[in-house]
Amino acid sequence: MQGTWATSAGLDLHLELSGTRPRAALESALREAVRSGRLAAGTALPSSRALAADLGLARNTVADAYGQLVAEGWLAARHGSGTWVAEQTVPVPAAGRPQAGVASARAWYDLRPGFPDLSAFPRAAWMAAARRGLAAAPARSLLGYSDVQGLPVLRTALAEYLARARGVSVVPERIVVCAGFSQGLELLCDLLRTKGERTLAIEAYGHPGHRQIAMSAGMRLVPVPVDDRGAMAGGVPPDGAGAMLLTPAHQYPLGVALAPQRRRLAVDWAAAGNGLIIEDDYDGEFRYDRQAVGALQSLAPDHVVYAGTASKSLVPGLRLGWLAVPDRLARDITEIKRATGRVSSSFDQLTLAEFINSGGYDRQVRRARLAYRTRRDWLVSELRRQVPGVSVAGIAAGLHVIVRLPAEVAEEDVIARAAGRGLALEGLASCRAGEAGGVGGPGLGPALVVGYATPPGHAFSTAVARLCAALRDALG
Ligand SMILES: Cc1ncc(COP(=O)(O)O)c(C=O)c1O
């Protein structure tokens, strides 16, 4: 194939199609045109029929290429309005503003944590599950005001899945469906406040957004130190804490599992009547090297709320999560949900139930686990080969690793150098509990939290190459 002009719909489009696979050639030509800025955000593309005619390709080839690029975020489409170039800018984090002497650039590549590979969402299988779920559902449960606690069919599917895959001790009556972990945490903070609890112990390094949610819900935060054996380095949480938020299977962001003695200590603290543990199992499905770490909840189901989410196993856009709560709390949480109108869409719940029951969820998790493991292996081996001055930790599970920098290298410097290469990165310091939450122990940096699931497949190796280059620059 040669360089080709397409002139559909009055739009001159120069596309360099090379290679023998027309769809791949068209995808990469369009990506390159967007990446280089030749096709600006908002530019309308020819219809697939018109472009196919111009290029001498089958219409399906063009439609499939458009579909893939929409999935990857390069293009956007709406039924009836055609296809256009999407807003591409990945916002560069404030800390990553390029310094003097480092070229400013848009961040086309992203290795920040928090996302699965969005382009790998199983759209066809999800749509098929939606069709089956909708066809079979009685009008009342589908179209009326649905069960506030969550559709029984989904709670049943989740109870079976969580017991089987994560070792959670639960029955459908103790599951509460929510809009991701974020809403689950918000509901639990509201619940704690109705019970007179005002203080939540949190890991001294954790998700900044979750600290924000808990504080907005009126909780005072006290940090518990974290080290390479997980949270609570010194023992149980500080006096006065009525609840403790933990990431036992894969500490966020350090990536370590909570040591067995500490798991015991934590549940003993809760069972002695001191409080409630909130177990955030955000990426519990993704463990690569060792036996899966089962849920802490199974050690004390009456004192631990297990929280799971579809945000990593599927995509955050679904806004679906679930809590497995102690018996005595199920009704209270449901009442808070009802009183505050926080009810999830029955359409999405039906689809997820059907997706789980038909085996689609397990298949997607297995597929994603394989793909992420391959990415992790590549990332770790490239870092070891190209940048021996850094060390990589927290690699056994999850969708991110910690890249430890030499003490004299500043996180901001690496982030700025990467931004200059069009790559967005995040530093460990952004996860540290700040003024409002207090700070537990000395800082653990400098380090980067590298999310290797974030880029779509075609962009991954370039993103890693840019990371290595930025690190080599910063380390001199
Ligand atoms: C530590 C942690 N917990 C939970 C979640 C999921 O939150 P949600 O279910 O609200 O999307 C994330 C997402 O990035 C996370 O990093």
Side-chain angles (χ1 to χ4, degrees), residues 60-363:
N60 276 353
T61 304
V62 178
D64 290 349
Y66 277 6
Q68 179 61 29
L69 295 176
V70 168
E72 292 173 9
W74 298 96
L75 304 181
R78 197 179 309 119
H79 193 65
S81 307
T83 305
W84 63 94
V85 178
E87 282 299 332
Q88 286 295 317
T89 317
V90 176
V92 177
R97 238 173 277 124
Q99 294 172 335
V102 181
S104 166
R106 297 166 111 193
W108 294 110
Y109 296 92
D110 195 348
L111 283 173
R112 289 173 299 174
F115 281 93
D117 175 1
L118 303 179
S119 70
F121 181 70
R123 291 179 186 229
W126 184 261
M127 285 193 289
R131 207 173 303 115
R132 290 194 305 271
L134 297 194
R140 196 172 175 78
S141 60
L142 174 62
L143 303 173
Y145 290 104
S146 65
D147 187 328
V148 177
Q149 190 174 349
L151 289 189
V153 63
L154 177 58
R155 287 190 282 116
T156 304
L158 284 169
E160 188 276 329
Y161 172 77
L162 294 174
R164 170 169 59 78
R166 301 294 302 124
V168 178
S169 168
V170 69
V171 289
E173 293 72 30
R174 288 168 53 166
I175 288 203
V176 179
V177 175
C178 48
F181 174 73
S182 309
Q183 191 188 66
L185 177 61
E186 198 182 13
L187 286 166
L188 290 165
C189 290
D190 287 355
L191 174 81
L192 287 166
R193 293 211 51 191
T194 65
K195 306 229 172 269
E197 295 294 354
R198 294 284 157 98
T199 306
L200 176 67
I202 50 150
E203 295 167 321
Y205 279 79
H207 194 296
H210 297 162
R211 292 196 293 271
Q212 191 61 51
I213 287 171
M215 286 191 294
S216 303
M219 300 301 286
R220 185 175 75 89
L221 305 185
V222 289
V224 291
V226 289
D227 60 18
D228 59 1
R229 296 191 307 133
M232 309 185 308
V236 296
D239 275 352
M244 176 158 59
L245 171 58
L246 292 177
T247 47
H250 190 233
Q251 203 282 329
Y252 187 85
L254 298 185
V256 293
L258 188 62
Q261 308 88 300
R262 293 187 184 173
R263 284 164 72 91
R264 198 63 266 170
L265 239 124
V267 293
D268 286 351
W269 166 80
N274 293 319
L276 186 74
I277 294 174
I278 302 169
E279 174 177 20
D280 175 6
D281 195 39
Y282 63 106
D283 61 5
E285 285 94 347
F286 298 108
R287 184 139 207 113
Y288 311 114
D289 292 340
R290 275 185 278 137
Q291 199 65 7
V293 178
L296 178 74
Q297 184 264 7
S298 65
L299 298 179
D302 286 335
H303 303 282
V304 180
V305 173
Y306 171 93
T309 176
S311 292
K312 307 282 174 148
S313 50
L314 293 170
V315 282
L318 280 175
R319 303 315 302 139
L320 276 174
W322 39 89
L323 305 175
V325 305
D327 213 12
R328 65 187 186 307
L329 300 181
R331 184 194 297 224
D332 293 348
I333 297 187
T334 305
E335 282 317 309
I336 292 174
K337 276 196 84 181
R338 189 191 315 283
T340 52
R342 285 179 268 195
V343 186
S344 307
S345 148
S346 41
F347 287 69
D348 296 338
Q349 293 186 66
L350 272 172
T351 306
L352 181 57
E354 171 61 25
F355 198 60
I356 295 173
N357 288 335
S358 63
Y361 190 86
D362 283 80
R363 273 193 295 280

